[in-house]
C-alpha cells in the first residue's frame, strides 16, 4: 500500500514540474520573439530602454533634470542631483536600496544617451570631412 502512495506522489510531482518547465519555456520563447519583432520593426527602439528598462524621460524625471537636447545636457547638474539622491537613499542611513538603484540607473541612462549622441555627431563630422586614414610616411 505504501509503495502505491509513494508512486502517486512521484508521478504527480513530476507532472507538476514538467508543466512548470513547459510554461516557463513558452514564456521565454514568446518574450524572445516579441523582442526580435520589436527590434526588426523599429531598430532605434532597442536602444530606448537601458538594461534596467528606464526610458530617457523616466530617467530625467527621477533625477528632476531636463532631457538632453541635441546631445547636450548639464552633466554637472545631473551629477549633483545624482550624488544627493544616492546619498539620501543609502540603506545604511535608513534609505531604500530600490530607490538608490533607480537613481543610479537613471544617471547611467542619461550618460548613455549623451554618449550615443556624441558618437553620432562624431560620425556625422567624419562623414562631412571625409575619411582621412592615418598614413605614416616612413613606411
Amino acid at each position: 500500500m505504501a509503495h502505491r502512495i509513494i508512486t502517486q506522489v512521484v508521478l504527480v510531482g513530476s507532472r507538476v514540474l514538467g508543466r512548470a518547465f513547459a510554461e516557463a519555456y513558452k514564456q521565454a520563447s514568446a518574450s524572445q520573439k516579441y523582442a526580435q519583432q520589436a527590434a526588426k520593426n523599429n531598430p532605434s527602439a532597442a536602444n530606448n530602454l537601458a538594461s534596467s528598462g528606464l526610458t530617457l524621460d523616466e530617467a530625467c524625471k527621477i533625477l528632476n533634470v531636463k532631457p538632453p537636447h541635441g546631445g547636450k545636457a548639464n552633466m554637472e547638474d545631473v551629477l549633483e542631483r545624482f550624488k544627493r539622491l544616492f546619498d539620501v537613499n543609502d540603506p545604511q542611513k535608513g534609505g531604500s536600496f530600490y530607490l538608490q538603484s533607480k537613481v543610479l540607473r537613471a544617471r547611467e541612462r542619461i550618460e548613455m544617451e549623451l554618449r550615443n549622441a556624441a558618437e553620432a555627431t562624431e560620425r556625422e563630422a567624419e562623414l562631412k570631412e571625409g575619411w582621412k586614414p592615418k598614413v605614416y610616411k616612413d613606411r
Side-chain angles (χ1 to χ4, degrees), residues 101-114:
S101 66
K102 281 291 191 184
V103 169
L104 177 67
R105 299 296 172 234
R107 187 206 67 191
E108 289 175 346
R109 177 67 174 106
I110 293 172
E111 287 176 345
M112 184 184 78
E113 188 69 27
L114 293 175

Side-chain angles (χ1 to χ4, degrees), residues 7-28:
T7 305
Q8 285 181 338
V9 168
V10 169
L11 287 175
V12 170
S14 63
R15 280 188 201 152
V16 169
L17 285 176
R19 287 181 185 161
F21 280 118
E23 188 64 30
Y25 180 77
K26 286 179 189 176
Q27 286 180 355

Side-chain angles (χ1 to χ4, degrees), residues 62 85-86 89 95-105:
I62 289 171
L85 290 171
F86 193 81
N89 290 303
S96 166
F97 177 75
Y98 173 77
L99 292 176
Q100 191 181 42
S101 66
K102 281 291 191 184
V103 169
L104 177 67
R105 299 296 172 234

Side-chain angles (χ1 to χ4, degrees), residues 44 47 69-72 111-129:
S44 64
N47 290 333
H69 293 289
K72 303 217 187 276
E111 287 176 345
M112 184 184 78
E113 188 69 27
L114 293 175
R115 193 170 39 250
N116 290 345
E119 289 173 0
T121 54
E122 283 179 18
R123 276 193 302 265
E124 289 174 11
E126 186 177 306
L127 288 173
K128 199 175 201 180
E129 292 176 13

Side-chain angles (χ1 to χ4, degrees), residues 34-94:
Y34 176 77
Q36 287 175 347
Q37 188 67 25
K40 193 181 290 182
N41 289 341
N42 190 1
S44 64
N47 290 333
N48 263 354
L49 300 176
S51 60
S52 65
L54 282 178
T55 63
L56 181 61
D57 189 42
E58 290 172 330
C60 291
K61 285 179 182 177
I62 289 171
L63 292 177
N64 195 21
V65 295
K66 294 179 182 176
H69 293 289
K72 303 217 187 276
N74 188 359
M75 277 308 290
E76 293 171 0
D77 192 30
V78 170
L79 290 177
E80 173 188 325
R81 291 178 191 232
F82 163 74
K83 287 178 184 175
R84 187 174 132 298
L85 290 171
F86 193 81
D87 289 340
V88 165
N89 290 303
D90 188 7
Q92 294 176 348
K93 297 178 184 175

